[in-house]
Amino acid sequence: MDKHMIKAGNLTLGQLQRNWIFVLCISLGLSAGCGRKDAATQEKKIAEVEVALPMEQDSVITYTSYPSTLQSRSQADVVARVNGQLLKKSFENGQYVNKGQVLFSIEPTLYQSSVNEAKAQVNSALGQLDYAEKHLAALEQAFDANAVSEMDVIQARSSKSQAEAAVNQAKAALTTAATRLGYCSVTAPVSGRITSSTFDVGAYINGDGAPVTLATIYDEKDLEVQFSITDYEYAAISTRADGFRNPVYRNIPVYITSSDTPDVNAPSVKADLTYEAPSVNASSGNILLKAKILGDTEGLRPGMYGRIMLPTGVSKNAILVRDASISTDQRGKYLYVVNDSNKVVYTPIEVGELYNDTLRLVTKGLGPHDRYVTRAMISVRNGETVRPVMTGSKN
């Protein structure tokens, strides 16, 4: 029998060999195809993230944030200085009132009577003075005619002086009475927004002995921000060149927010440092500072909280990153950095103050050539391989 014609079942040996080779080729092809598909799939799974290089500055003014409150630079209590029933309130609580505007009316009957009595005293004194002047003139003529003695003239002159003094006294009493009558109409001492009244119409006011506060007016158009710094910080600033006279203290950023970290999206204003307390508070060791709010104060009210960004130093060779790229966990602040192998590295950092509203000073943990993740910080993981996409220049 021919060796090439050996059969296995219904197949010859040669056919079996060819079939086996065919199956092997198909398997190898499928394996290669799956390998290429897995590689492509793996490549597609690599996340694409935006990265940037830190901004470098030769010199950056650094700021320290301090809690502060807004106060009115022009505020005054509206007080009653007479006794009587409160007859009228001529304003709505919280409205803006003008200086000199009548706000309250107090029963004037008693004080009007005092004015009338004082006027009568003035008229009586003027009558006495008129008599004394005429009597003196008559005696002086008589003295020229040797009809009276010099002593009579002297006595007449004394009576005239007493009458003049009585007139002045009566006029002073009239002025006092008229002033007290005027107090029955309580006017605004300054312009501003007024609080609610501390007394209702019909209440008896006892302001004659000591002034009684009826309301308070705050001028919301003239505001200042008040804050305190330690004596050490004060000395550090004041001993530098120009100290608090430096122009940077004429245009200080203030964020209207009660949070510990100023929010760049919070309302902000500028302020001019205008006051430094002459002494240190013995109990706290702090010095009170005040800065006048510049520009429009619409929407601001005395008592609002803020964070004032006081210039406190200059950083040389500063490294700045986008503030929004920084995250915080229990260990502190951190960034995700992409290394030369395109792997994400969890990088703890130490930061300084905000710069130009959107950049944050990094004082430790980041180099000028480190690529940091600017977006999608939540979706990346430490040690993950990514495809970095550089975003523009260093900003």
Side-chain angles (χ1 to χ4, degrees), residues 113-143:
S113 297
S114 297
V115 168
N116 295 338
E117 182 179 350
K119 286 181 178 179
Q121 292 293 336
V122 169
N123 291 332
S124 176
L126 288 173
Q128 293 294 331
L129 176 61
D130 182 63
Y131 171 79
E133 289 175 339
K134 291 178 179 179
H135 183 64
L136 174 61
L139 287 179
E140 287 177 337
Q141 290 180 356
F143 177 75

Short mmCIF file of all heavy atoms in Angstrom, two decimals, residues 113-143:
data_model
loop_
_atom_site.label_atom_id
_atom_site.label_comp_id
_atom_site.label_asym_id
_atom_site.label_seq_id
_atom_site.Cartn_x
_atom_site.Cartn_y
_atom_site.Cartn_z
N SER A 113 -44.91 126.82 76.78
CA SER A 113 -45.22 127.72 77.90
C SER A 113 -43.95 128.39 78.42
O SER A 113 -43.96 129.59 78.76
CB SER A 113 -45.90 126.93 79.02
OG SER A 113 -47.14 126.41 78.59
N SER A 114 -42.87 127.64 78.48
CA SER A 114 -41.61 128.22 78.94
C SER A 114 -41.13 129.30 77.99
O SER A 114 -40.57 130.33 78.41
CB SER A 114 -40.55 127.11 79.06
OG SER A 114 -40.91 126.16 80.03
N VAL A 115 -41.33 129.10 76.69
CA VAL A 115 -40.95 130.12 75.72
C VAL A 115 -41.80 131.38 75.91
O VAL A 115 -41.26 132.50 75.89
CB VAL A 115 -41.10 129.57 74.28
CG1 VAL A 115 -40.99 130.70 73.25
CG2 VAL A 115 -40.05 128.51 74.01
N ASN A 116 -43.09 131.20 76.09
CA ASN A 116 -43.96 132.36 76.29
C ASN A 116 -43.57 133.14 77.55
O ASN A 116 -43.55 134.38 77.54
CB ASN A 116 -45.42 131.91 76.39
CG ASN A 116 -45.92 131.30 75.08
OD1 ASN A 116 -45.37 131.55 74.02
ND2 ASN A 116 -46.97 130.48 75.16
N GLU A 117 -43.24 132.42 78.60
CA GLU A 117 -42.82 133.08 79.84
C GLU A 117 -41.51 133.82 79.66
O GLU A 117 -41.33 134.94 80.13
CB GLU A 117 -42.69 132.04 80.95
CG GLU A 117 -42.31 132.63 82.29
CD GLU A 117 -42.19 131.57 83.38
OE1 GLU A 117 -42.59 130.42 83.13
OE2 GLU A 117 -41.70 131.91 84.48
N ALA A 118 -40.59 133.20 78.92
CA ALA A 118 -39.29 133.84 78.68
C ALA A 118 -39.46 135.09 77.84
O ALA A 118 -38.77 136.11 78.06
CB ALA A 118 -38.35 132.85 77.99
N LYS A 119 -40.36 135.06 76.87
CA LYS A 119 -40.61 136.25 76.06
C LYS A 119 -41.16 137.39 76.94
O LYS A 119 -40.79 138.57 76.76
CB LYS A 119 -41.61 135.93 74.96
CG LYS A 119 -41.03 135.10 73.83
CD LYS A 119 -42.09 134.84 72.76
CE LYS A 119 -41.51 134.06 71.60
NZ LYS A 119 -42.55 133.78 70.55
N ALA A 120 -42.05 137.05 77.87
CA ALA A 120 -42.59 138.07 78.77
C ALA A 120 -41.49 138.67 79.63
O ALA A 120 -41.46 139.89 79.87
CB ALA A 120 -43.68 137.45 79.65
N GLN A 121 -40.56 137.84 80.08
CA GLN A 121 -39.44 138.33 80.89
C GLN A 121 -38.56 139.26 80.08
O GLN A 121 -38.07 140.28 80.59
CB GLN A 121 -38.63 137.14 81.41
CG GLN A 121 -39.35 136.28 82.43
CD GLN A 121 -39.60 137.02 83.73
OE1 GLN A 121 -38.91 137.98 84.10
NE2 GLN A 121 -40.65 136.61 84.45
N VAL A 122 -38.38 138.93 78.80
CA VAL A 122 -37.57 139.81 77.94
C VAL A 122 -38.26 141.17 77.79
O VAL A 122 -37.62 142.24 77.89
CB VAL A 122 -37.34 139.15 76.57
CG1 VAL A 122 -36.74 140.16 75.58
CG2 VAL A 122 -36.44 137.95 76.70
N ASN A 123 -39.56 141.14 77.54
CA ASN A 123 -40.30 142.41 77.37
C ASN A 123 -40.25 143.24 78.64
O ASN A 123 -40.10 144.48 78.59
CB ASN A 123 -41.75 142.12 76.98
CG ASN A 123 -41.86 141.53 75.58
OD1 ASN A 123 -41.00 141.78 74.72
ND2 ASN A 123 -42.92 140.76 75.33
N SER A 124 -40.38 142.57 79.80
CA SER A 124 -40.31 143.29 81.08
C SER A 124 -38.94 143.90 81.28
O SER A 124 -38.82 145.07 81.69
CB SER A 124 -40.65 142.34 82.22
OG SER A 124 -40.50 142.98 83.47
N ALA A 125 -37.92 143.15 80.96
CA ALA A 125 -36.55 143.65 81.14
C ALA A 125 -36.27 144.79 80.19
O ALA A 125 -35.59 145.76 80.56
CB ALA A 125 -35.57 142.51 80.91
N LEU A 126 -36.78 144.71 78.97
CA LEU A 126 -36.60 145.81 78.02
C LEU A 126 -37.30 147.08 78.52
O LEU A 126 -36.79 148.20 78.35
CB LEU A 126 -37.15 145.41 76.65
CG LEU A 126 -36.33 144.38 75.88
CD1 LEU A 126 -37.06 143.93 74.63
CD2 LEU A 126 -34.95 144.95 75.52
N GLY A 127 -38.48 146.90 79.16
CA GLY A 127 -39.17 148.05 79.72
C GLY A 127 -38.36 148.68 80.84
O GLY A 127 -38.25 149.91 80.93
N GLN A 128 -37.80 147.89 81.71
CA GLN A 128 -36.97 148.40 82.80
C GLN A 128 -35.75 149.12 82.24
O GLN A 128 -35.33 150.16 82.77
CB GLN A 128 -36.54 147.23 83.69
CG GLN A 128 -37.67 146.59 84.47
CD GLN A 128 -38.27 147.53 85.51
OE1 GLN A 128 -37.61 148.43 86.06
NE2 GLN A 128 -39.58 147.36 85.77
N LEU A 129 -35.17 148.55 81.18
CA LEU A 129 -34.00 149.18 80.58
C LEU A 129 -34.37 150.52 79.97
O LEU A 129 -33.62 151.52 80.12
CB LEU A 129 -33.39 148.26 79.52
CG LEU A 129 -32.20 148.84 78.74
CD1 LEU A 129 -31.05 149.18 79.68
CD2 LEU A 129 -31.74 147.88 77.66
N ASP A 130 -35.52 150.60 79.30
CA ASP A 130 -35.94 151.86 78.68
C ASP A 130 -36.12 152.94 79.75
O ASP A 130 -35.71 154.10 79.56
CB ASP A 130 -37.23 151.64 77.92
CG ASP A 130 -37.71 152.89 77.22
OD1 ASP A 130 -36.98 153.38 76.33
OD2 ASP A 130 -38.81 153.38 77.56
N TYR A 131 -36.75 152.55 80.87
CA TYR A 131 -36.92 153.51 81.97
C TYR A 131 -35.58 153.95 82.52
O TYR A 131 -35.36 155.16 82.75
CB TYR A 131 -37.77 152.90 83.08
CG TYR A 131 -37.80 153.73 84.33
CD1 TYR A 131 -38.63 154.87 84.42
CD2 TYR A 131 -36.98 153.41 85.42
CE1 TYR A 131 -38.63 155.65 85.56
CE2 TYR A 131 -36.97 154.19 86.55
CZ TYR A 131 -37.80 155.31 86.62
OH TYR A 131 -37.78 156.11 87.76
N ALA A 132 -34.66 152.99 82.71
CA ALA A 132 -33.37 153.33 83.29
C ALA A 132 -32.59 154.27 82.38
O ALA A 132 -31.91 155.19 82.86
CB ALA A 132 -32.57 152.05 83.54
N GLU A 133 -32.66 154.06 81.05
CA GLU A 133 -31.95 154.93 80.11
C GLU A 133 -32.52 156.35 80.15
O GLU A 133 -31.76 157.35 80.15
CB GLU A 133 -32.06 154.35 78.70
CG GLU A 133 -31.23 153.08 78.50
CD GLU A 133 -31.43 152.45 77.13
OE1 GLU A 133 -32.48 152.73 76.50
OE2 GLU A 133 -30.57 151.65 76.73
N LYS A 134 -33.83 156.46 80.17
CA LYS A 134 -34.46 157.79 80.22
C LYS A 134 -34.18 158.49 81.54
O LYS A 134 -33.96 159.72 81.58
CB LYS A 134 -35.97 157.67 79.98
CG LYS A 134 -36.32 157.26 78.55
CD LYS A 134 -37.82 157.10 78.37
CE LYS A 134 -38.15 156.71 76.93
NZ LYS A 134 -39.60 156.53 76.71
N HIS A 135 -34.25 157.73 82.63
CA HIS A 135 -33.97 158.31 83.94
C HIS A 135 -32.54 158.83 84.02
O HIS A 135 -32.30 159.93 84.55
CB HIS A 135 -34.22 157.27 85.03
CG HIS A 135 -34.04 157.80 86.41
ND1 HIS A 135 -34.82 158.80 86.96
CD2 HIS A 135 -33.12 157.47 87.39
CE1 HIS A 135 -34.43 159.05 88.19
NE2 HIS A 135 -33.38 158.25 88.47
N LEU A 136 -31.62 158.06 83.45
CA LEU A 136 -30.22 158.49 83.46
C LEU A 136 -30.05 159.75 82.62
O LEU A 136 -29.34 160.69 83.04
CB LEU A 136 -29.33 157.37 82.92
CG LEU A 136 -27.86 157.73 82.73
CD1 LEU A 136 -27.22 158.12 84.07
CD2 LEU A 136 -27.08 156.57 82.10
N ALA A 137 -30.67 159.81 81.48
CA ALA A 137 -30.54 161.00 80.62
C ALA A 137 -31.07 162.24 81.33
O ALA A 137 -30.47 163.33 81.24
CB ALA A 137 -31.29 160.76 79.31
N ALA A 138 -32.19 162.09 82.06
CA ALA A 138 -32.76 163.23 82.77
C ALA A 138 -31.85 163.70 83.89
O ALA A 138 -31.64 164.92 84.09
CB ALA A 138 -34.14 162.88 83.33
N LEU A 139 -31.28 162.77 84.61
CA LEU A 139 -30.39 163.13 85.71
C LEU A 139 -29.12 163.77 85.19
O LEU A 139 -28.57 164.70 85.83
CB LEU A 139 -30.06 161.90 86.54
CG LEU A 139 -31.18 161.36 87.43
CD1 LEU A 139 -30.73 160.11 88.19
CD2 LEU A 139 -31.66 162.43 88.43
N GLU A 140 -28.63 163.33 84.05
CA GLU A 140 -27.41 163.94 83.50
C GLU A 140 -27.68 165.41 83.11
O GLU A 140 -26.82 166.29 83.30
CB GLU A 140 -26.91 163.13 82.30
CG GLU A 140 -26.29 161.81 82.71
CD GLU A 140 -25.87 160.97 81.51
OE1 GLU A 140 -26.41 161.17 80.40
OE2 GLU A 140 -25.00 160.07 81.69
N GLN A 141 -28.87 165.70 82.55
CA GLN A 141 -29.22 167.08 82.23
C GLN A 141 -29.35 167.92 83.50
O GLN A 141 -28.89 169.08 83.57
CB GLN A 141 -30.52 167.12 81.44
CG GLN A 141 -30.40 166.56 80.02
CD GLN A 141 -31.73 166.61 79.28
OE1 GLN A 141 -32.76 167.00 79.86
NE2 GLN A 141 -31.69 166.23 78.00
N ALA A 142 -29.96 167.32 84.51
CA ALA A 142 -30.12 168.02 85.79
C ALA A 142 -28.77 168.27 86.45
O ALA A 142 -28.54 169.33 87.07
CB ALA A 142 -31.03 167.23 86.71
N PHE A 143 -27.87 167.32 86.29
CA PHE A 143 -26.54 167.48 86.89
C PHE A 143 -25.80 168.61 86.20
O PHE A 143 -25.09 169.40 86.86
CB PHE A 143 -25.75 166.17 86.76
CG PHE A 143 -24.36 166.27 87.29
CD1 PHE A 143 -24.11 166.29 88.65
CD2 PHE A 143 -23.26 166.36 86.40
CE1 PHE A 143 -22.82 166.39 89.13
CE2 PHE A 143 -21.98 166.45 86.89
CZ PHE A 143 -21.75 166.46 88.25
#
